[in-house]
Amino acid sequence: MSGSILVTGGAGYIGSHTTVALLERGFDVVIADDLSNSSEESIERVKALTGRHVDFEEVDLTDIDALRKVFASYPISGAIHFAGLKAVGESVEQPLRYYRNNLVSTMNLLDVMAEHEAWDLVFSSSATVYGDPEVLPIPEEAKTGATNPYGRTKLMIEEICQDAAAADPRWRISLLRYFNPVGAHASGDIGEDPTGHPNNLVPFVMQVAVGRRDKVMVFGDDYDTADGTGVRDYIHVLDLAAGHIAALDHLEDGCDVFNLGTGNGASVLDIIQTTAEVSGQEIPYEVAPRRAGDIATSLADPTRANEKLEWRADRGLEVMLRDAWKWQSKNPWGFNPPPEAD
Ligand code: NAD
Ligand code: UFG
């Protein structure tokens, strides 16, 4: 390996798990994160888990001079770009903050990478770019059309990357459209630690299982699905991390796009029931109105990644939820101390 991999947003949920996978594969890693939605403790845990050193720079990627200093300090040959704001509802309330943070960060990164002739880039896109899909399972060629500012930042960044690669043939870019990442490292030492009220189902269900919240609100039971609740393609974060390594290994000239999902669907009630089974905890729930902007079903067609990246997501729903529970039960308050200890 010729240089280090810059992991932007590496202190966060998916970035920390991918950093473990990179270190285990022998890559040297530099993390750049402003800790706006994460804790430095996750990096300490990654070091302890792997027995490897990780360089960490606390920088905001919208600050191009700070980013230039990072590139001047390390021999960076490529980047995996996780850094970004990701809460759909918040993006509707604060659209300019989302556009500025996600777009400016990415344009700065592309500029500084080009200045340093680091042409290898893997970007965290999202299944949200498909909006309400017309075809299931969804292939990469499906029509795109985001329904909120967060999703539009992902679509715009994909287009920026395509344009950059069309303008300079030295770029080798992979756009990864994640479906619904869940689960945690099997050690239970790193995992998803949302600040405040979790927006996503699995962290919410885990907080109910561990006793931090009373009940799960099921957003709608009148969808056109087998049990009436929303169906998603949940993917274990370790399979997702392996997908990034496969993407790096298979980078080609230009800009390519891949779905990272399993192709299997689970409903909200499946998640609640399986979590109750793997945790041995009761998970009370109540049916509530549909959440604005939600779709009935999202399912990946992962054939392209299976074939071109030689990658497949193997872990099933029980393993995903067992590992999420291990993390949550070992760390009821995530990376923070319990409130009593304050
Ligand atoms: P996360 O919030 O845990 O990680 C993102 C990290 O980026 C955080 O550590 C945050 O502090 C950092 N960050 C944000 N803005 C920054 C800036 N300007 N400069 C430096 N650091 C900054 O989120 P995650 O779940 O790990 O998601 C990682 C990426 O994957 C994001 O781009 C997200 O949009 C995308 N994604 C996530 C999901 C999901 O369900 N978790 C699904 C699809 C795509
Ligand atoms: N849900 C509930 N109760 C909750 C939270 C969610 O019933 O408290 C339901 C939703 O209605 C949906 C399913 O659980 O049917 C999954 O919802 P999530 O919020 O966990 O996930 P989404 O599919 O809505 O969206 C997530 C990310 C997006 C990303 C998308 C695809 O939040 O940013 O996955 O990757 F784009």
Side-chain angles (χ1 to χ4, degrees):
M1 191 46 51
S2 56
S4 302
I5 300 295
L6 177 69
V7 180
T8 77
Y13 171 46
I14 306 171
S16 57
H17 288 83
T18 303
T19 298
V20 169
L22 286 165
L23 294 169
E24 284 173 346
R25 257 291 297 276
F27 289 95
D28 291 324
V29 174
V30 180
I31 289 177
D33 197 305
D34 66 358
L35 303 180
S36 56
N37 196 39
S38 53
S39 152
E40 200 173 339
E41 175 62 16
S42 71
I43 301 174
E44 294 306 317
R45 304 259 182 114
V46 165
K47 289 182 191 165
L49 273 174
T50 57
R52 296 253 345 251
H53 175 73
V54 182
D55 288 301
F56 169 55
E57 298 291 337
E58 186 173 343
V59 294
D60 178 344
L61 266 71
T62 62
D63 178 350
I64 195 165
D65 292 328
L67 190 58
R68 286 199 171 106
K69 280 190 194 138
V70 175
F71 275 76
S73 306
Y74 303 94
I76 293 166
S77 58
I80 306 185
H81 181 34
F82 294 103
L85 299 173
K86 63 163 186 175
V88 173
E90 194 180 62
S91 80
V92 175
E93 287 154 19
Q94 304 171 29
L96 296 185
R97 181 172 161 236
Y98 270 66
Y99 288 120
R100 186 169 297 110
N101 189 75
N102 293 0
L103 300 183
V104 174
S105 290
T106 306
M107 290 188 289
N108 285 347
L109 180 64
L110 288 166
D111 270 343
V112 181
M113 287 179 77
E115 286 166 15
H116 287 264
E117 306 218 358
W119 302 106
D120 290 359
L121 176 65
V122 176
F123 171 64
S124 304
S125 189
S126 168
T128 196
V129 301
Y130 295 118
D132 196 350
E134 287 170 0
V135 184
L136 290 170
I138 312 170
E140 286 82 356
E141 301 72 33
K143 208 174 84 192
T144 54
T147 56
N148 56 71
Y150 164 71
R152 278 188 279 277
T153 69
K154 292 296 181 195
L155 266 183
M156 289 176 191
I157 293 169
E158 287 199 0
E159 287 172 351
I160 289 169
C161 290
Q162 301 274 11
D163 288 342
D168 192 322
R170 289 173 291 182
W171 281 109
R172 305 195 314 158
I173 303 179
S174 198
L175 308 171
L176 304 182
R177 293 176 177 162
Y178 314 154
F179 279 67
N180 287 58
V182 298
H185 191 267
S187 63
D189 288 342
I190 55 172
E192 189 169 10
D193 181 23
T195 40
H197 183 100
N199 295 308
N200 297 117
L201 178 64
V202 170
F204 201 99
V205 170
M206 291 299 148
Q207 291 192 7
V208 172
V210 84
R212 278 175 63 178
R213 298 183 189 275
D214 294 340
K215 61 183 172 204
V216 181
M217 305 307 285
V218 175
F219 296 148
D221 66 352
D222 57 353
Y223 284 105
D224 184 16
T225 60
D227 66 19
T229 66
V231 168
R232 296 291 182 274
D233 185 333
Y234 295 94
I235 174 171
H236 197 299
V237 68
L238 292 181
D239 282 328
L240 194 63
H244 290 75
I245 308 291
L248 271 185
D249 283 345
H250 291 81
L251 278 174
E252 288 178 359
D253 291 352
C255 182
D256 213 345
V257 57
F258 297 97
N259 285 337
L260 295 188
T262 66
N264 303 314
S267 73
V268 176
L269 295 182
D270 291 334
I271 295 286
I272 292 174
Q273 192 190 325
T274 309
T275 302
E277 284 164 15
V278 299
S279 67
Q281 307 297 309
E282 206 190 324
I283 316 284
Y285 68 87
E286 188 179 306
V287 176
R290 292 182 179 194
R291 183 171 63 179
D294 272 356
I295 57 175
T297 303
S298 167
L299 267 188
D301 176 348
T303 309
R304 193 179 162 81
N306 296 161
E307 290 175 357
K308 286 190 79 174
L309 303 181
E310 300 175 279
W311 164 91
R312 186 174 298 278
D314 291 326
R315 294 168 177 87
L317 196 62
E318 274 191 24
V319 177
M320 298 181 210
L321 296 172
R322 185 200 67 201
D323 289 346
W325 172 243
K326 183 156 188 192
W327 150 252
Q328 191 74 65
S329 53
K330 219 171 156 180
N331 304 272
W333 299 92
F335 292 112
N336 304 304
E340 305 82 59
D342 285 344

